[in-house]
Amino acid sequence: MRARWIAGSLAVVVVAAACSSSSPTSSPTTAGGHAGSSTTVATGSGIHKIRHVIVIMQENRSFDSYFGTYPGADGIPMTNGQPTACLPAPANDPCVRPYVDHADVNGGGPHSAVNAAADINAGQMNGFVKQAVAGRRGCVDPTNPACTNSATPDVASYHTGSDIPNYWAYANNFVLQDHMFEPNASWSLPEHLFQVSEWSASCTQHNNPSSCTNALQAPGTPKAGGVTGASPAATAPNPIYAWTDLTYLLHKNNVSWGYYVVAGTEPDCQNDSTVSCAPVKQNATTPGIWNPLPYFDTVRNDGQLGNIQSVTNFYSAAKAGTLPAVSWVVPSGTVSEHPPAPVSYGQSYVTSLVNAVMASPDWDSTAILLGWDDWGGFYDHVAPPSVDENGYGLRVPAMVISPYAKKGYIDHQTLSFDAYDKFIEDDFLGGQRIDPRTDGRPDPRPDVRENVSILGDITTDFDFTQAPRSPMPLPVHPQTTLTGTPGPAQLPAAAK
């Protein structure tokens, strides 16, 4: 069915993408940027034809839950069209086989570090149903990683191409990565820290990376008190992120960057076992688990807080051809696809972002890296490889969308989001890594993730000898087979 109504935050961003009357807002100077026509061909050779890398990060889906039946991909094992796995259930209940579910709203399951270990179950990949049954119910914040958001667990369910036609169209026409693993075997906050810094840690002293210790599950949690540095309450001190992040190297090398946030709500649970924490308002000035950069000492010291902006600035920069060299784009709860947010809202929002880039003068020099931050408790059959005490985590959907992306290519390399940072570093920093031995800010991180031997190289997803391919805009509200799309009365007031 066709989604006829999109919640407030999505309506804002879709209108921003569709309307051309608004004036562009200023954005950081782009390293090697241009403001030419859409036919301008990027200069440089090989990877350096890419002058704009855009990371779009959605929430909480496993690879099998979205692409488990995608032709040619390492999908759900089948015999005569029937899934071979049967996931154990508690007590005397029958096991549960993966099944098609066209519901627009899913429940998912618990997805903290302990749940990741139980779901993987020493490589058997069969703990999902038991964990979902044991998950907390009735949480005030449904995005709490300890929660199960459906009366009957649906973690064994999967969607088909008719449910998410735009995502499958991107896979058909660009690159699908079928062995992309979350960099950490845990929930959203550690993943978003890895995404921008290759580590998740807890620190005791500002500007002293050596005071940081490894924290897979519980790094300091951002508070909703703004970015002034003042603690919202004496009992809730702001976290200290004193280790080095990628923006430190970008700024040091005069490479522009932007971190774009959709206004709305975001979960800020300080304790993943609580049922009392509620979603809080989110915008570019509110640090949160999807927006941790404001608490990095490096960002503050370098005067880069202004680079954390509203997503409306992303649409404006795309239209004007002034995208920074590196962009990260994070959703609000409503358009995140994090259960119980509707799948259709997230797909429409992502489509609006991709369409805006495809209509931009910057399209011919852009690589969009689209991923989902963790598995959300949903079944996946591929056991993740172990690289250190932090990960990898479970497999998630991921795609590369670019005028230089190979068409209909399935990348079977072992990847994690560490490959995103590796690509950015190879493109803009001459291969420099976030390495405490060379970046001047020593910290005790267990390894340099970009250099892990099993990590693939996403430059293989591109053909830089081809002429840049034409844009492929898609309908923001595609026809789908999704059922049960909520109407306005079913959504919380904060999402309207």
Side-chain angles (χ1 to χ4, degrees), residues 339-361:
V343 172
S344 63
Y345 292 6
Q347 180 181 239
S348 294
Y349 152 72
V350 169
T351 302
S352 77
L353 293 173
V354 175
N355 284 354
V357 176
M358 287 182 169
S360 170

Side-chain angles (χ1 to χ4, degrees), residues 222-232 238-239 281 283-288 291 294-295 300 305:
K223 310 303 187 294
V227 295
T228 63
S231 176
N238 288 333
K281 290 184 177 180
N283 58 48
T285 64
T286 54
N291 179 24
Y295 281 127
R300 292 172 176 271
L305 285 173

Side-chain angles (χ1 to χ4, degrees), residues 235-247:
T235 57
N238 288 333
I240 298 174
Y241 297 158
W243 68 96
T244 307
D245 72 293
L246 183 56
T247 72

